[in-house]
Amino acid sequence: MDRTLRHPCYNGGCKNARIHLPVAPSCNISCNYCNRRYDCVNESRPGVCSEILTPQAAAERYLKAKAVIGNLQVAGIAGPGDPLADFDKTGETFRLIRELDPDVIFCLSTNGLYLERYAEQIKEWGVTHVTVTINTLRPETGTVIYKEVTYDGAVYSGAAAAELLLEKQLAGLKKLRELDITAKVNTVLIKGVNDDEVEDVAKTASGCGAYIGNIMQLIPAAGSAFENMPLTSNAELNEARERSGKFLKQMYHCQQCRADAVGALEQDRSAEFSGDNSEIKPDSSPRGRLKILVTSSDRRVINQHFGHADKFYIYQYEDGTIRLLEVREVSKYCNGPGSCSDEGEKITQLVKATDGCDVILTMRIGLEPERILEQQGKRVLTTYGFISESIQKAASYYLGKKKKLRAKRELASQPVG
Ligand code: SF4
Ligand code: SF4
């Protein structure tokens, strides 16, 4: 079957699984929406820290995943920095995996700076699908989005950086077309910055041979220069996709995956495979281990009332690394006025579903469940924010020493409601 039809990102109807191998932590540009403690925002969800693997460890993880995920068809490298800024590790990873599996589809995502230079090599590795992030065609917009670009040791900033990056991105796209490599163009939609440019990007990308476009919401990464940027609604996102779709077919099902995602797009199984052979921990965070339950409607932000959640996400924090351990389905104990006749029993069920957890991070919680949980020795914090960031702060609060008071203050000061 055509490789594009077998790739779940390029074909929305395809339910095959993919694995992202986080072997490439370096980057050669500096995006203002990036916080380098986390995965590259150009492909991934901000606030997520992927562990970094050696190429050998990545090949081992591929084998492990292949053994248990029957429909694993794609191996990709999406950072957590730029795969072409860590060219050797990226190439070695593909080489090792090809020895293990002649049929798996290879893809990578890049900011495009070194794409033209390495396109032939990418082809030789057997990569058939490449994502390039192009956010703007205008240097004046590029100066807002990019802080600097480092090319062959020289550091560029301002319009020179934006012009150089765009020139390389477009040349890279054309080279992919020449080499018959299928290209996807990601665009991070930044409200008030490039939202009136997405159609132009799509049109130009199409002219350079791109197969599909993928407009992604900017989710402001804490600690980045854009951390206070306004959010784009789903309606605005879909409207931008519709406008751009006139020029270039658009992806509507991107999950903004982790750089170490494993499984089908809708069901990340990375927790099953992570933590065994990581080379580098993402952060020098407090040492210790906590099992943390969060309530979230989208698995990005802690934004749900404890009693309204139908799932509990259970994470483990260990020495700075955060992993999703399991998702527990729970029945709602409060469905609104008139539905609380047996509330006591529902609270009991919900509290039972927190078994084994040390900390509960939730947007709101009723007095009674909070009282019971605290009686059981669990720590309950109400907050609103990105899951990873909130877990880090909770860990600082409960495990750290110097940061203890600050973390408590920051968690408490996040808006609720
Ligand atoms: Fe960060 Fe990715 Fe931009 Fe590099 S390309 S600065 S890793 S968002
Ligand atoms: Fe596919 Fe989007 Fe996930 Fe990349 S981030 S693997 S394009 S769904």
Side-chain angles (χ1 to χ4, degrees), residues 310-343:
D310 54 5
K311 290 186 189 73
F312 285 161
Y313 295 97
I314 316 292
Y315 288 83
Q316 177 165 289
Y317 173 95
E318 185 168 13
D319 301 340
T321 299
I322 298 167
R323 289 193 289 138
L324 178 66
L325 290 181
E326 61 178 301
V327 182
R328 293 182 188 167
E329 302 280 342
V330 290
S331 40
K332 298 179 186 185
Y333 78 82
C334 180
N335 292 319
S339 68
C340 293
S341 55
D342 57 347
E343 187 177 323

PDB file of all heavy atoms in Angstrom, residues 310-343:
ATOM      1  N   ASP A 310     -14.635  12.510  34.049  1.00  0.00           N
ATOM      2  CA  ASP A 310     -14.990  11.111  33.811  1.00  0.00           C
ATOM      3  C   ASP A 310     -13.744  10.251  33.675  1.00  0.00           C
ATOM      4  O   ASP A 310     -13.818   9.040  33.519  1.00  0.00           O
ATOM      5  CB  ASP A 310     -15.912  10.950  32.601  1.00  0.00           C
ATOM      6  CG  ASP A 310     -15.353  11.581  31.352  1.00  0.00           C
ATOM      7  OD1 ASP A 310     -14.202  12.068  31.410  1.00  0.00           O
ATOM      8  OD2 ASP A 310     -16.051  11.607  30.326  1.00  0.00           O
ATOM      9  N   LYS A 311     -12.598  10.914  33.722  1.00  0.00           N
ATOM     10  CA  LYS A 311     -11.320  10.175  33.712  1.00  0.00           C
ATOM     11  C   LYS A 311     -10.378  10.854  34.693  1.00  0.00           C
ATOM     12  O   LYS A 311     -10.392  12.084  34.818  1.00  0.00           O
ATOM     13  CB  LYS A 311     -10.654  10.263  32.333  1.00  0.00           C
ATOM     14  CG  LYS A 311     -11.328   9.503  31.243  1.00  0.00           C
ATOM     15  CD  LYS A 311     -10.460   9.575  29.971  1.00  0.00           C
ATOM     16  CE  LYS A 311     -11.195   9.000  28.783  1.00  0.00           C
ATOM     17  NZ  LYS A 311     -12.264   9.880  28.310  1.00  0.00           N
ATOM     18  N   PHE A 312      -9.565  10.087  35.348  1.00  0.00           N
ATOM     19  CA  PHE A 312      -8.472  10.635  36.148  1.00  0.00           C
ATOM     20  C   PHE A 312      -7.164  10.255  35.456  1.00  0.00           C
ATOM     21  O   PHE A 312      -6.970   9.077  35.112  1.00  0.00           O
ATOM     22  CB  PHE A 312      -8.472  10.042  37.562  1.00  0.00           C
ATOM     23  CG  PHE A 312      -9.549  10.569  38.471  1.00  0.00           C
ATOM     24  CD1 PHE A 312      -9.905   9.862  39.613  1.00  0.00           C
ATOM     25  CD2 PHE A 312     -10.192  11.771  38.214  1.00  0.00           C
ATOM     26  CE1 PHE A 312     -10.893  10.341  40.467  1.00  0.00           C
ATOM     27  CE2 PHE A 312     -11.181  12.257  39.058  1.00  0.00           C
ATOM     28  CZ  PHE A 312     -11.537  11.540  40.182  1.00  0.00           C
ATOM     29  N   TYR A 313      -6.301  11.227  35.276  1.00  0.00           N
ATOM     30  CA  TYR A 313      -4.984  10.949  34.684  1.00  0.00           C
ATOM     31  C   TYR A 313      -3.983  10.834  35.831  1.00  0.00           C
ATOM     32  O   TYR A 313      -3.859  11.756  36.647  1.00  0.00           O
ATOM     33  CB  TYR A 313      -4.575  12.068  33.718  1.00  0.00           C
ATOM     34  CG  TYR A 313      -5.509  12.136  32.528  1.00  0.00           C
ATOM     35  CD1 TYR A 313      -6.562  13.041  32.495  1.00  0.00           C
ATOM     36  CD2 TYR A 313      -5.361  11.258  31.463  1.00  0.00           C
ATOM     37  CE1 TYR A 313      -7.449  13.080  31.427  1.00  0.00           C
ATOM     38  CE2 TYR A 313      -6.230  11.282  30.385  1.00  0.00           C
ATOM     39  CZ  TYR A 313      -7.270  12.198  30.379  1.00  0.00           C
ATOM     40  OH  TYR A 313      -8.143  12.223  29.319  1.00  0.00           O
ATOM     41  N   ILE A 314      -3.285   9.717  35.851  1.00  0.00           N
ATOM     42  CA  ILE A 314      -2.348   9.479  36.955  1.00  0.00           C
ATOM     43  C   ILE A 314      -0.922   9.578  36.402  1.00  0.00           C
ATOM     44  O   ILE A 314      -0.533   8.809  35.512  1.00  0.00           O
ATOM     45  CB  ILE A 314      -2.539   8.068  37.570  1.00  0.00           C
ATOM     46  CG1 ILE A 314      -4.026   7.753  37.755  1.00  0.00           C
ATOM     47  CG2 ILE A 314      -1.749   7.954  38.867  1.00  0.00           C
ATOM     48  CD1 ILE A 314      -4.758   8.545  38.768  1.00  0.00           C
ATOM     49  N   TYR A 315      -0.175  10.531  36.928  1.00  0.00           N
ATOM     50  CA  TYR A 315       1.202  10.744  36.492  1.00  0.00           C
ATOM     51  C   TYR A 315       2.157  10.346  37.605  1.00  0.00           C
ATOM     52  O   TYR A 315       1.808  10.404  38.787  1.00  0.00           O
ATOM     53  CB  TYR A 315       1.446  12.228  36.165  1.00  0.00           C
ATOM     54  CG  TYR A 315       0.776  12.677  34.894  1.00  0.00           C
ATOM     55  CD1 TYR A 315      -0.559  13.060  34.891  1.00  0.00           C
ATOM     56  CD2 TYR A 315       1.477  12.715  33.696  1.00  0.00           C
ATOM     57  CE1 TYR A 315      -1.189  13.469  33.724  1.00  0.00           C
ATOM     58  CE2 TYR A 315       0.859  13.130  32.524  1.00  0.00           C
ATOM     59  CZ  TYR A 315      -0.466  13.502  32.540  1.00  0.00           C
ATOM     60  OH  TYR A 315      -1.082  13.904  31.392  1.00  0.00           O
ATOM     61  N   GLN A 316       3.347   9.975  37.187  1.00  0.00           N
ATOM     62  CA  GLN A 316       4.404   9.794  38.177  1.00  0.00           C
ATOM     63  C   GLN A 316       5.466  10.857  37.963  1.00  0.00           C
ATOM     64  O   GLN A 316       5.935  11.044  36.841  1.00  0.00           O
ATOM     65  CB  GLN A 316       5.049   8.421  38.060  1.00  0.00           C
ATOM     66  CG  GLN A 316       6.206   8.268  39.068  1.00  0.00           C
ATOM     67  CD  GLN A 316       6.600   6.831  39.206  1.00  0.00           C
ATOM     68  OE1 GLN A 316       5.873   6.031  39.781  1.00  0.00           O
ATOM     69  NE2 GLN A 316       7.749   6.498  38.659  1.00  0.00           N
ATOM     70  N   TYR A 317       5.792  11.556  39.012  1.00  0.00           N
ATOM     71  CA  TYR A 317       6.942  12.476  39.002  1.00  0.00           C
ATOM     72  C   TYR A 317       8.079  11.754  39.693  1.00  0.00           C
ATOM     73  O   TYR A 317       7.926  11.276  40.822  1.00  0.00           O
ATOM     74  CB  TYR A 317       6.601  13.768  39.775  1.00  0.00           C
ATOM     75  CG  TYR A 317       7.808  14.664  39.929  1.00  0.00           C
ATOM     76  CD1 TYR A 317       8.059  15.695  39.027  1.00  0.00           C
ATOM     77  CD2 TYR A 317       8.719  14.460  40.965  1.00  0.00           C
ATOM     78  CE1 TYR A 317       9.182  16.494  39.156  1.00  0.00           C
ATOM     79  CE2 TYR A 317       9.841  15.253  41.096  1.00  0.00           C
ATOM     80  CZ  TYR A 317      10.068  16.263  40.194  1.00  0.00           C
ATOM     81  OH  TYR A 317      11.185  17.054  40.322  1.00  0.00           O
ATOM     82  N   GLU A 318       9.222  11.645  38.993  1.00  0.00           N
ATOM     83  CA  GLU A 318      10.374  11.023  39.646  1.00  0.00           C
ATOM     84  C   GLU A 318      11.646  11.742  39.226  1.00  0.00           C
ATOM     85  O   GLU A 318      12.034  11.728  38.057  1.00  0.00           O
ATOM     86  CB  GLU A 318      10.475   9.529  39.304  1.00  0.00           C
ATOM     87  CG  GLU A 318      11.595   8.857  40.090  1.00  0.00           C
ATOM     88  CD  GLU A 318      11.543   7.347  40.005  1.00  0.00           C
ATOM     89  OE1 GLU A 318      10.805   6.822  39.150  1.00  0.00           O
ATOM     90  OE2 GLU A 318      12.254   6.701  40.805  1.00  0.00           O
ATOM     91  N   ASP A 319      12.270  12.403  40.165  1.00  0.00           N
ATOM     92  CA  ASP A 319      13.547  13.100  39.944  1.00  0.00           C
ATOM     93  C   ASP A 319      13.511  14.003  38.710  1.00  0.00           C
ATOM     94  O   ASP A 319      14.452  14.044  37.918  1.00  0.00           O
ATOM     95  CB  ASP A 319      14.698  12.092  39.789  1.00  0.00           C
ATOM     96  CG  ASP A 319      14.851  11.214  41.014  1.00  0.00           C
ATOM     97  OD1 ASP A 319      14.352  11.605  42.086  1.00  0.00           O
ATOM     98  OD2 ASP A 319      15.467  10.139  40.897  1.00  0.00           O
ATOM     99  N   GLY A 320      12.425  14.688  38.480  1.00  0.00           N
ATOM    100  CA  GLY A 320      12.343  15.634  37.368  1.00  0.00           C
ATOM    101  C   GLY A 320      11.678  15.078  36.133  1.00  0.00           C
ATOM    102  O   GLY A 320      11.384  15.815  35.203  1.00  0.00           O
ATOM    103  N   THR A 321      11.468  13.771  36.078  1.00  0.00           N
ATOM    104  CA  THR A 321      10.822  13.178  34.908  1.00  0.00           C
ATOM    105  C   THR A 321       9.349  12.928  35.216  1.00  0.00           C
ATOM    106  O   THR A 321       9.014  12.402  36.270  1.00  0.00           O
ATOM    107  CB  THR A 321      11.508  11.851  34.543  1.00  0.00           C
ATOM    108  OG1 THR A 321      12.876  12.141  34.226  1.00  0.00           O
ATOM    109  CG2 THR A 321      10.845  11.208  33.325  1.00  0.00           C
ATOM    110  N   ILE A 322       8.508  13.302  34.260  1.00  0.00           N
ATOM    111  CA  ILE A 322       7.065  13.130  34.449  1.00  0.00           C
ATOM    112  C   ILE A 322       6.569  12.111  33.438  1.00  0.00           C
ATOM    113  O   ILE A 322       6.864  12.221  32.247  1.00  0.00           O
ATOM    114  CB  ILE A 322       6.332  14.475  34.231  1.00  0.00           C
ATOM    115  CG1 ILE A 322       6.805  15.489  35.275  1.00  0.00           C
ATOM    116  CG2 ILE A 322       4.816  14.288  34.303  1.00  0.00           C
ATOM    117  CD1 ILE A 322       6.385  16.903  34.963  1.00  0.00           C
ATOM    118  N   ARG A 323       5.838  11.114  33.913  1.00  0.00           N
ATOM    119  CA  ARG A 323       5.315  10.086  33.010  1.00  0.00           C
ATOM    120  C   ARG A 323       3.849   9.843  33.305  1.00  0.00           C
ATOM    121  O   ARG A 323       3.450   9.789  34.465  1.00  0.00           O
ATOM    122  CB  ARG A 323       6.055   8.757  33.210  1.00  0.00           C
ATOM    123  CG  ARG A 323       7.455   8.770  32.710  1.00  0.00           C
ATOM    124  CD  ARG A 323       7.996   7.366  32.641  1.00  0.00           C
ATOM    125  NE  ARG A 323       8.237   6.782  33.938  1.00  0.00           N
ATOM    126  CZ  ARG A 323       7.934   5.529  34.257  1.00  0.00           C
ATOM    127  NH1 ARG A 323       7.324   4.747  33.382  1.00  0.00           N
ATOM    128  NH2 ARG A 323       8.226   5.055  35.443  1.00  0.00           N
ATOM    129  N   LEU A 324       3.088   9.675  32.235  1.00  0.00           N
ATOM    130  CA  LEU A 324       1.697   9.270  32.430  1.00  0.00           C
ATOM    131  C   LEU A 324       1.688   7.777  32.724  1.00  0.00           C
ATOM    132  O   LEU A 324       2.186   6.982  31.931  1.00  0.00           O
ATOM    133  CB  LEU A 324       0.879   9.559  31.172  1.00  0.00           C
ATOM    134  CG  LEU A 324      -0.587   9.144  31.234  1.00  0.00           C
ATOM    135  CD1 LEU A 324      -1.348   9.956  32.268  1.00  0.00           C
ATOM    136  CD2 LEU A 324      -1.242   9.299  29.861  1.00  0.00           C
ATOM    137  N   LEU A 325       1.146   7.391  33.870  1.00  0.00           N
ATOM    138  CA  LEU A 325       1.141   5.976  34.242  1.00  0.00           C
ATOM    139  C   LEU A 325      -0.128   5.282  33.783  1.00  0.00           C
ATOM    140  O   LEU A 325      -0.085   4.171  33.285  1.00  0.00           O
ATOM    141  CB  LEU A 325       1.222   5.826  35.765  1.00  0.00           C
ATOM    142  CG  LEU A 325       2.524   6.192  36.464  1.00  0.00           C
ATOM    143  CD1 LEU A 325       2.377   5.952  37.949  1.00  0.00           C
ATOM    144  CD2 LEU A 325       3.690   5.387  35.918  1.00  0.00           C
ATOM    145  N   GLU A 326      -1.277   5.944  33.996  1.00  0.00           N
ATOM    146  CA  GLU A 326      -2.533   5.283  33.636  1.00  0.00           C
ATOM    147  C   GLU A 326      -3.664   6.299  33.565  1.00  0.00           C
ATOM    148  O   GLU A 326      -3.557   7.425  34.064  1.00  0.00           O
ATOM    149  CB  GLU A 326      -2.886   4.186  34.644  1.00  0.00           C
ATOM    150  CG  GLU A 326      -3.089   4.707  36.044  1.00  0.00           C
ATOM    151  CD  GLU A 326      -3.478   3.619  37.032  1.00  0.00           C
ATOM    152  OE1 GLU A 326      -4.519   2.980  36.809  1.00  0.00           O
ATOM    153  OE2 GLU A 326      -2.760   3.446  38.027  1.00  0.00           O
ATOM    154  N   VAL A 327      -4.720   5.876  32.912  1.00  0.00           N
ATOM    155  CA  VAL A 327      -5.935   6.690  32.854  1.00  0.00           C
ATOM    156  C   VAL A 327      -7.028   5.866  33.514  1.00  0.00           C
ATOM    157  O   VAL A 327      -7.285   4.732  33.103  1.00  0.00           O
ATOM    158  CB  VAL A 327      -6.315   7.012  31.393  1.00  0.00           C
ATOM    159  CG1 VAL A 327      -7.552   7.896  31.358  1.00  0.00           C
ATOM    160  CG2 VAL A 327      -5.157   7.677  30.665  1.00  0.00           C
ATOM    161  N   ARG A 328      -7.654   6.410  34.556  1.00  0.00           N
ATOM    162  CA  ARG A 328      -8.722   5.676  35.257  1.00  0.00           C
ATOM    163  C   ARG A 328     -10.076   6.258  34.867  1.00  0.00           C
ATOM    164  O   ARG A 328     -10.295   7.468  35.016  1.00  0.00           O
ATOM    165  CB  ARG A 328      -8.554   5.792  36.778  1.00  0.00           C
ATOM    166  CG  ARG A 328      -7.311   5.090  37.272  1.00  0.00           C
ATOM    167  CD  ARG A 328      -7.186   5.180  38.783  1.00  0.00           C
ATOM    168  NE  ARG A 328      -5.888   4.656  39.189  1.00  0.00           N
ATOM    169  CZ  ARG A 328      -5.354   4.802  40.394  1.00  0.00           C
ATOM    170  NH1 ARG A 328      -6.026   5.450  41.334  1.00  0.00           N
ATOM    171  NH2 ARG A 328      -4.173   4.300  40.668  1.00  0.00           N
ATOM    172  N   GLU A 329     -10.938   5.413  34.378  1.00  0.00           N
ATOM    173  CA  GLU A 329     -12.305   5.842  34.055  1.00  0.00           C
ATOM    174  C   GLU A 329     -13.074   5.935  35.366  1.00  0.00           C
ATOM    175  O   GLU A 329     -13.026   5.022  36.178  1.00  0.00           O
ATOM    176  CB  GLU A 329     -12.990   4.802  33.165  1.00  0.00           C
ATOM    177  CG  GLU A 329     -12.267   4.512  31.865  1.00  0.00           C
ATOM    178  CD  GLU A 329     -12.535   5.557  30.797  1.00  0.00           C
ATOM    179  OE1 GLU A 329     -13.521   6.297  30.931  1.00  0.00           O
ATOM    180  OE2 GLU A 329     -11.734   5.623  29.839  1.00  0.00           O
ATOM    181  N   VAL A 330     -13.780   7.042  35.586  1.00  0.00           N
ATOM    182  CA  VAL A 330     -14.560   7.169  36.823  1.00  0.00           C
ATOM    183  C   VAL A 330     -15.966   7.646  36.478  1.00  0.00           C
ATOM    184  O   VAL A 330     -16.172   8.358  35.499  1.00  0.00           O
ATOM    185  CB  VAL A 330     -13.922   8.177  37.800  1.00  0.00           C
ATOM    186  CG1 VAL A 330     -12.644   7.645  38.373  1.00  0.00           C
ATOM    187  CG2 VAL A 330     -13.703   9.520  37.143  1.00  0.00           C
ATOM    188  N   SER A 331     -16.920   7.260  37.295  1.00  0.00           N
ATOM    189  CA  SER A 331     -18.270   7.768  37.033  1.00  0.00           C
ATOM    190  C   SER A 331     -18.405   9.109  37.741  1.00  0.00           C
ATOM    191  O   SER A 331     -17.867   9.327  38.817  1.00  0.00           O
ATOM    192  CB  SER A 331     -19.316   6.784  37.523  1.00  0.00           C
ATOM    193  OG  SER A 331     -18.927   6.237  38.736  1.00  0.00           O
ATOM    194  N   LYS A 332     -19.096   9.996  37.108  1.00  0.00           N
ATOM    195  CA  LYS A 332     -19.222  11.333  37.675  1.00  0.00           C
ATOM    196  C   LYS A 332     -20.113  11.285  38.915  1.00  0.00           C
ATOM    197  O   LYS A 332     -21.132  10.620  38.902  1.00  0.00           O
ATOM    198  CB  LYS A 332     -19.853  12.264  36.658  1.00  0.00           C
ATOM    199  CG  LYS A 332     -19.025  12.424  35.424  1.00  0.00           C
ATOM    200  CD  LYS A 332     -19.730  13.332  34.449  1.00  0.00           C
ATOM    201  CE  LYS A 332     -18.951  13.377  33.153  1.00  0.00           C
ATOM    202  NZ  LYS A 332     -19.503  14.319  32.197  1.00  0.00           N
ATOM    203  N   TYR A 333     -19.711  11.966  39.957  1.00  0.00           N
ATOM    204  CA  TYR A 333     -20.575  11.943  41.131  1.00  0.00           C
ATOM    205  C   TYR A 333     -21.492  13.146  41.135  1.00  0.00           C
ATOM    206  O   TYR A 333     -22.472  13.188  41.845  1.00  0.00           O
ATOM    207  CB  TYR A 333     -19.768  11.842  42.428  1.00  0.00           C
ATOM    208  CG  TYR A 333     -19.110  13.113  42.913  1.00  0.00           C
ATOM    209  CD1 TYR A 333     -19.821  14.065  43.633  1.00  0.00           C
ATOM    210  CD2 TYR A 333     -17.759  13.344  42.665  1.00  0.00           C
ATOM    211  CE1 TYR A 333     -19.208  15.209  44.091  1.00  0.00           C
ATOM    212  CE2 TYR A 333     -17.153  14.486  43.105  1.00  0.00           C
ATOM    213  CZ  TYR A 333     -17.872  15.418  43.832  1.00  0.00           C
ATOM    214  OH  TYR A 333     -17.265  16.549  44.271  1.00  0.00           O
ATOM    215  N   CYS A 334     -21.209  14.132  40.318  1.00  0.00           N
ATOM    216  CA  CYS A 334     -22.081  15.292  40.278  1.00  0.00           C
ATOM    217  C   CYS A 334     -22.387  15.658  38.839  1.00  0.00           C
ATOM    218  O   CYS A 334     -21.531  16.138  38.124  1.00  0.00           O
ATOM    219  CB  CYS A 334     -21.431  16.475  40.987  1.00  0.00           C
ATOM    220  SG  CYS A 334     -22.468  17.932  40.957  1.00  0.00           S
ATOM    221  N   ASN A 335     -23.591  15.389  38.401  1.00  0.00           N
ATOM    222  CA  ASN A 335     -23.995  15.728  37.030  1.00  0.00           C
ATOM    223  C   ASN A 335     -24.886  16.960  36.995  1.00  0.00           C
ATOM    224  O   ASN A 335     -25.587  17.197  36.034  1.00  0.00           O
ATOM    225  CB  ASN A 335     -24.730  14.546  36.399  1.00  0.00           C
ATOM    226  CG  ASN A 335     -23.792  13.385  36.179  1.00  0.00           C
ATOM    227  OD1 ASN A 335     -22.656  13.577  35.764  1.00  0.00           O
ATOM    228  ND2 ASN A 335     -24.243  12.194  36.491  1.00  0.00           N
ATOM    229  N   GLY A 336     -24.901  17.695  38.079  1.00  0.00           N
ATOM    230  CA  GLY A 336     -25.712  18.912  38.111  1.00  0.00           C
ATOM    231  C   GLY A 336     -26.846  18.790  39.103  1.00  0.00           C
ATOM    232  O   GLY A 336     -27.070  17.720  39.679  1.00  0.00           O
ATOM    233  N   PRO A 337     -27.590  19.888  39.287  1.00  0.00           N
ATOM    234  CA  PRO A 337     -28.668  19.881  40.257  1.00  0.00           C
ATOM    235  C   PRO A 337     -29.668  18.773  39.940  1.00  0.00           C
ATOM    236  O   PRO A 337     -29.964  18.495  38.790  1.00  0.00           O
ATOM    237  CB  PRO A 337     -29.330  21.258  40.086  1.00  0.00           C
ATOM    238  CG  PRO A 337     -28.343  22.090  39.363  1.00  0.00           C
ATOM    239  CD  PRO A 337     -27.493  21.154  38.568  1.00  0.00           C
ATOM    240  N   GLY A 338     -30.208  18.132  40.961  1.00  0.00           N
ATOM    241  CA  GLY A 338     -31.227  17.105  40.756  1.00  0.00           C
ATOM    242  C   GLY A 338     -30.660  15.730  40.534  1.00  0.00           C
ATOM    243  O   GLY A 338     -31.397  14.759  40.453  1.00  0.00           O
ATOM    244  N   SER A 339     -29.356  15.607  40.395  1.00  0.00           N
ATOM    245  CA  SER A 339     -28.802  14.283  40.097  1.00  0.00           C
ATOM    246  C   SER A 339     -27.929  13.779  41.242  1.00  0.00           C
ATOM    247  O   SER A 339     -27.134  12.885  41.056  1.00  0.00           O
ATOM    248  CB  SER A 339     -27.962  14.344  38.820  1.00  0.00           C
ATOM    249  OG  SER A 339     -26.817  15.110  39.058  1.00  0.00           O
ATOM    250  N   CYS A 340     -28.107  14.401  42.403  1.00  0.00           N
ATOM    251  CA  CYS A 340     -27.176  14.080  43.485  1.00  0.00           C
ATOM    252  C   CYS A 340     -27.831  13.339  44.636  1.00  0.00           C
ATOM    253  O   CYS A 340     -27.426  13.474  45.775  1.00  0.00           O
ATOM    254  CB  CYS A 340     -26.504  15.362  43.997  1.00  0.00           C
ATOM    255  SG  CYS A 340     -25.413  16.078  42.771  1.00  0.00           S
ATOM    256  N   SER A 341     -28.855  12.527  44.337  1.00  0.00           N
ATOM    257  CA  SER A 341     -29.551  11.855  45.418  1.00  0.00           C
ATOM    258  C   SER A 341     -28.625  10.891  46.166  1.00  0.00           C
ATOM    259  O   SER A 341     -28.717  10.739  47.368  1.00  0.00           O
ATOM    260  CB  SER A 341     -30.766  11.119  44.876  1.00  0.00           C
ATOM    261  OG  SER A 341     -30.339  10.255  43.849  1.00  0.00           O
ATOM    262  N   ASP A 342     -27.761  10.228  45.436  1.00  0.00           N
ATOM    263  CA  ASP A 342     -26.854   9.309  46.122  1.00  0.00           C
ATOM    264  C   ASP A 342     -25.423   9.838  46.048  1.00  0.00           C
ATOM    265  O   ASP A 342     -24.483   9.133  45.714  1.00  0.00           O
ATOM    266  CB  ASP A 342     -26.943   7.910  45.510  1.00  0.00           C
ATOM    267  CG  ASP A 342     -26.656   7.922  44.021  1.00  0.00           C
ATOM    268  OD1 ASP A 342     -26.633   9.039  43.435  1.00  0.00           O
ATOM    269  OD2 ASP A 342     -26.439   6.860  43.445  1.00  0.00           O
ATOM    270  N   GLU A 343     -25.290  11.114  46.341  1.00  0.00           N
ATOM    271  CA  GLU A 343     -23.988  11.773  46.210  1.00  0.00           C
ATOM    272  C   GLU A 343     -22.904  11.111  47.059  1.00  0.00           C
ATOM    273  O   GLU A 343     -21.755  10.977  46.644  1.00  0.00           O
ATOM    274  CB  GLU A 343     -24.124  13.249  46.587  1.00  0.00           C
ATOM    275  CG  GLU A 343     -22.853  14.020  46.295  1.00  0.00           C
ATOM    276  CD  GLU A 343     -22.992  15.496  46.594  1.00  0.00           C
ATOM    277  OE1 GLU A 343     -24.073  16.043  46.342  1.00  0.00           O
ATOM    278  OE2 GLU A 343     -22.027  16.077  47.088  1.00  0.00           O
TER     279      GLU A 343
END
